[in-house]
Amino acid sequence: MFFLTPVLVAVVCILIVWIFKNGDGSSKRRKGEPRARAEVRPWVDEDLKDNTDLHQGEEGANDRQESEEDVEHIPFSHTRYPEKEMVKRSQEFYALLSKRRSVRFISSEQVPMEVIDNVIKTAGTAPSGAHTEPWTFVVVKDPDVKHKIREIIEEEEEINYLKRMGRQWVTDLKKLRTNWVKEYLDTAPVLILIFKQVHGVAASGKRKVHYYNEISVSIACGILLAALQNVGLVTVTTTPLNCGPRLRVLLGRPTNEKLLMLLPVGYASKEATVPNLTRKPVDQIRVIV
Ligand SMILES: Cc1cc2nc3c(=O)[nH]c(=O)nc-3n(C[C@H](O)[C@H](O)[C@H](O)COP(=O)(O)O)c2cc1C
Ligand SMILES: *[C@@H]1O[C@H](CO)[C@@H](O)[C@H](O)[C@H]1NC(C)=O
């Protein structure tokens, strides 16, 4: 029996090593998949190229969260329409949203701030992973700040167009006649910069996981676009490549916030033009199973 002891010791050692190597809590890795952090926390989005906060406070990320107080459940009240009215409302809403266009020529005429507050309130009705509401809407009115934003974006966008984007992307954009000169960043009376909070901070100071934060904030942005269309204001959806960290610092936002989208908002200028695009008909975008 004694000759078995070294073998047993070896087996125990191998087991211990194996347990340690796999001991990060989630071991059900499928074959061939890389062991990445993203796999452990699949709801965490890839960083939008913001390296300014890498691994800062990362240790706390997997701590169990203090469960918040229980929420009372109450009867749901809603409006049900007769079918005829449903059809009418669906047609009317489609007619309204089908007129939405990305407008890159925005007049400097001021817009009522109450309207801006209301459209942001509307965006904030979006669903969010575990009701974390992981969004921050920064409204920029100050002409100096707008101009600084323009300088940062034009500087980066010039490099994007000339170096980062590649020939195919630049060719695909030709028909839209976009380039790195973004006058609307000065002229639009309001810029709304939408940040996704990649995590929150609980009352205790611990990190609070923001599940699916990018999807949640993207839904809020879609609702915001619809709300702007509803009041007759225009915007253009922009995702300033490589500008996130500098804009975040300029606006004094914390490191857990990453820029997702920038919307210049105002009235269309009188001489505004848009590309004559068509949209796919419904039988090309929906399948019935
Ligand atoms: C995620 C996303 C990013 C976009 N980024 C830009 C951008 O950086 N600059 C721009 O001029 N338009 C941008 N657009 C607008 C698209 O070019 C526009 O939506 C598309 O051409 C369709 O036109 P429409 O919005 O008028 O229907 C973006 C749109 C989306 C959804
Ligand atoms: C836009 O293009 C369509 C064809 O795709 C054409 O029927 C329509 O007249 C054009 N609109 C304008 C304003 O030129």
Side-chain angles (χ1 to χ4, degrees):
M1 272 317 270
F2 268 104
F3 71 95
L4 269 178
T5 308
V7 178
L8 264 177
V9 168
V11 167
V12 168
C13 282
I14 289 168
L15 263 175
I16 288 171
V17 168
W18 185 82
I19 287 167
F20 264 92
K21 279 185 80 173
N22 292 277
D24 60 3
S26 77
S27 45
K28 291 231 175 72
R29 176 161 51 107
R30 260 165 275 151
K31 245 192 188 165
E33 277 182 14
R35 283 178 56 85
R37 247 208 127 74
E39 201 198 359
V40 184
R41 297 179 298 151
W43 55 86
V44 176
D45 314 302
E46 265 191 65
D47 207 345
L48 283 181
K49 297 215 169 82
D50 183 342
N51 294 324
T52 53
D53 63 337
L54 265 190
H55 305 305
Q56 188 230 30
E58 194 80 351
E59 328 76 54
N62 281 333
D63 288 358
R64 188 160 303 158
Q65 322 210 359
E66 307 114 89
S67 49
E68 278 163 53
E69 281 151 59
D70 209 12
V71 174
E72 188 191 358
H73 286 226
I74 56 172
F76 171 64
S77 68
H78 84 136
T79 316
R80 184 173 165 156
Y81 305 105
E83 267 181 37
K84 245 185 157 171
E85 182 156 3
M86 285 168 73
V87 171
K88 183 166 161 272
R89 290 175 69 96
S90 64
Q91 283 168 345
E92 285 169 357
F93 196 61
Y94 166 67
L96 173 68
L97 286 202
S98 69
K99 293 197 199 93
R100 185 205 54 79
R101 294 304 314 273
S102 291
V103 177
R104 299 174 180 87
F105 305 93
I106 300 177
S107 121
S108 59
E109 193 181 337
Q110 291 300 309
V111 297
M113 282 314 285
E114 192 180 346
V115 171
I116 298 299
D117 273 354
N118 285 338
V119 293
I120 289 173
K121 251 166 46 182
T122 307
T125 67
S128 61
H131 192 51
T132 44
E133 301 170 279
W135 38 65
T136 305
F137 300 88
V138 179
V139 178
V140 178
K141 296 178 66 187
D142 185 309
D144 295 331
V145 180
K146 283 194 294 169
H147 192 68
K148 285 197 184 109
I149 290 173
R150 179 178 179 179
E151 283 174 347
I152 290 172
I153 290 180
E154 288 189 345
E155 202 177 292
E156 294 291 335
E157 281 282 272
E158 182 168 1
I159 305 170
N160 292 338
Y161 272 82
L162 297 179
K163 292 192 185 141
R164 296 189 185 121
M165 282 161 44
R167 194 167 297 168
Q168 186 59 49
W169 192 352
V170 173
T171 308
D172 286 345
L173 283 174
K174 218 163 223 159
K175 62 171 182 287
L176 301 178
R177 294 187 209 161
T178 60
N179 62 25
W180 60 82
V181 182
K182 318 259 178 211
E183 203 176 285
Y184 55 70
L185 294 173
D186 273 323
T187 61
V190 165
L191 306 179
I192 304 179
L193 291 91
I194 300 102
F195 288 81
K196 59 171 192 180
Q197 301 165 358
V198 295
H199 63 84
V201 185
S204 65
K206 275 205 180 129
R207 272 191 181 204
K208 183 164 168 271
V209 180
H210 279 178
Y211 307 91
Y212 297 113
N213 58 76
E214 180 161 323
I215 298 178
S216 305
V217 183
S218 301
I219 293 171
C221 288
I223 294 175
L224 180 56
L225 293 176
L228 288 168
Q229 178 66 11
N230 183 51
V231 296
L233 292 172
V234 300
T235 188
V236 51
T237 307
T238 70
T239 47
L241 188 63
N242 289 314
C243 302
R246 290 174 72 187
L247 294 177
R248 178 180 68 70
V249 171
L250 174 72
L251 299 171
R253 300 309 307 162
T255 53
N256 64 323
E257 298 188 1
K258 314 271 183 214
L259 182 66
L260 189 72
M261 203 171 277
L262 184 156
L263 299 176
V265 174
Y267 300 101
S269 65
K270 290 229 161 59
E271 57 285 1
T273 59
V274 291
N276 188 3
L277 303 177
T278 56
R279 292 185 172 125
K280 291 175 180 173
V282 70
D283 57 13
Q284 278 180 32
I285 61 172
R286 88 75 177 83
V287 289
I288 297 175
V289 176

